[in-house]
Amino acid sequence: MIKNKSGISAIFAAILLVSIAFVPAVSATDNTTKRNQDKDIVEPWFEKGDELNRLSGDELRTLAEQNETIRKMIKEDLKIEPVQIESLKSLENLPDNYPDDVKNAIIENFTSRNVSQQFSTKATTTTNTVNVWIVADEEYRSTYGSNWQTQAYNTIENADNAFYSDHDIDFVVGKYSTWDSTDSEDNCSELLDEAELESGWLSNKQGMDMLAVFTDQGTDHRGVSENGGDAWLMDHQITSGWDWHLAQHEASHNYRCPDHKYATTPYCIMTYNYMMITDDWCSSCDQTIENNRNHF
């Protein structure tokens, strides 16, 4: 489909909004059923600044055929960067095609940090390991191709950095599965239920603790998490950097952290204004996670 000049201008305006600021206004799609309000916590789209994030992967790639800026954004998103691991156990279930140079950089960083910590006087706390089962639908897999496991793995590893440094909680990927999401379904809670059912999560967790569901089709919300539960779903964002922020946010709901909605305070990843620019929790959320650190 050929875009007219005004359409292209609107896209560039959207990109500018994404890179500059979040507008504290609730999207009209932020309506949920009472069932979902009781069980799930959903994350609304920003009213302005999420124009590209709302698109499915297929829609974004179609748009990129006519827009160089979006092509560059997609190319940047596909890059595989080293992540920080908290234990060598995290390397046990690396995808078979994980790049050797990236893996070596991860190991070098881990070894260097361990040497430094040997001379640290910081009191040690028993680490709580949370075994994560990754499930990705066909849209997410199409976006990343053969590297879909690698990108999902990196999202989990980046999302647990603050959990480990602040609460000695280590997310370790233990299993990958595929899931064929219903293309006509855009309700995040329904998609999460579908993934739980199709993966067999509800009947046999296979030694895993947390279910992390990845999609890249158009959804009514940015993500959804079971409050105090063991599963969450996220819609792939325009960059992998936003993905891990969203993953940390959703996983925090499993530990019963509430949303602070749109507000200037507290400065917390659970506050929509700051969720994509910080990995810090406020003191209240930190205490909530501590109170529930043995949840898994």
Side-chain angles (χ1 to χ4, degrees):
M1 179 174 65
I2 303 299
K3 296 283 183 180
N4 59 30
K5 186 174 181 181
S6 62
I8 294 296
S9 298
I11 292 299
F12 279 114
I15 295 170
L16 185 61
L17 283 166
V18 168
S19 63
I20 294 177
F22 308 140
V23 177
V26 178
S27 167
T29 60
D30 191 20
N31 296 309
T32 56
T33 64
K34 185 177 186 303
R35 181 187 71 82
N36 289 338
Q37 289 173 340
D38 290 341
K39 174 186 176 184
D40 299 336
I41 298 179
V42 293
E43 318 309 334
W45 295 108
F46 300 129
E47 190 172 75
K48 294 182 179 180
D50 261 334
E51 288 81 353
L52 296 180
N53 281 324
R54 289 173 184 255
L55 299 178
S56 69
D58 289 339
E59 291 171 328
L60 196 61
R61 286 187 289 275
T62 298
L63 191 59
E65 293 175 2
Q66 305 159 43
N67 190 296
E68 178 65 21
T69 301
I70 296 177
R71 279 200 297 275
K72 289 180 179 179
M73 294 174 73
I74 291 176
K75 183 178 180 180
E76 189 69 22
D77 179 46
L78 296 178
K79 290 182 179 179
I80 301 171
E81 303 290 348
V83 294
Q84 177 178 303
I85 62 171
E86 281 63 52
S87 69
L88 291 177
K89 186 177 180 181
S90 294
L91 298 177
E92 293 178 3
N93 287 292
L94 274 179
D96 292 337
N97 64 338
Y98 202 90
D100 286 337
D101 59 332
V102 179
K103 177 181 177 180
N104 291 336
I106 291 173
I107 295 174
E108 182 178 345
N109 176 267
F110 174 79
T111 303
S112 176
R113 284 188 295 110
N114 265 15
V115 170
S116 299
Q117 289 170 1
Q118 288 178 4
F119 300 97
S120 173
T121 58
K122 178 183 176 181
T124 57
T125 304
T126 301
T127 298
N128 280 13
T129 299
V130 178
N131 297 296
V132 180
W133 182 345
I134 288 173
V135 178
D137 71 358
E138 67 276 21
E139 283 81 12
Y140 185 87
R141 302 195 308 272
S142 177
T143 292
Y144 286 119
S146 62
N147 289 324
W148 73 267
Q149 291 183 353
T150 292
Q151 294 289 3
Y153 171 93
N154 280 4
T155 296
I156 297 299
E157 281 301 329
N158 280 320
D160 83 340
N161 289 346
F163 275 100
Y164 184 76
S165 63
D166 295 357
H167 302 286
D168 289 289
I169 295 172
D170 183 17
F171 295 167
V172 175
V173 176
K175 184 176 176 61
Y176 306 88
S177 292
T178 60
W179 150 59
D180 185 12
S181 58
T182 301
D183 293 341
S184 60
E185 182 62 73
D186 69 349
N187 184 288
C188 278
S189 291
E190 294 297 334
L191 288 170
L192 177 57
D193 289 346
E194 183 179 284
E196 288 180 298
L197 182 63
E198 288 194 19
S199 66
W201 176 255
L202 299 177
S203 58
N204 184 1
K205 293 181 171 57
Q206 301 187 44
M208 299 294 104
D209 303 304
M210 176 188 287
L211 187 72
V213 181
F214 294 78
T215 182
D216 197 15
Q217 69 179 43
T219 54
D220 62 346
H221 289 80
R222 190 188 304 279
V224 60
S225 181
E226 295 175 350
N227 185 30
D230 55 15
W232 49 267
L233 173 146
M234 56 163 283
D235 189 14
H236 172 53
Q237 307 296 284
I238 191 64
T239 72
S240 56
W242 278 34
D243 272 3
W244 71 257
H245 279 91
L246 179 56
Q248 181 185 336
H249 179 104
E250 299 300 350
S252 299
H253 286 313
N254 283 171
Y255 288 91
R256 295 195 177 279
C257 287
D259 276 334
H260 301 312
K261 306 297 182 182
Y262 288 104
T264 55
T265 59
Y267 188 76
C268 178
I269 194 170
M270 307 311 291
T271 305
Y272 296 151
N273 300 51
Y274 310 121
M275 65 183 291
M276 296 303 183
I277 58 177
T278 185
D279 64 354
D280 289 332
W281 292 281
C282 62
S283 58
S284 177
C285 285
D286 270 324
Q287 188 58 58
T288 297
I289 295 174
E290 275 301 304
N291 292 344
N292 296 289
R293 70 184 299 271
N294 296 316
H295 173 60
F296 293 103

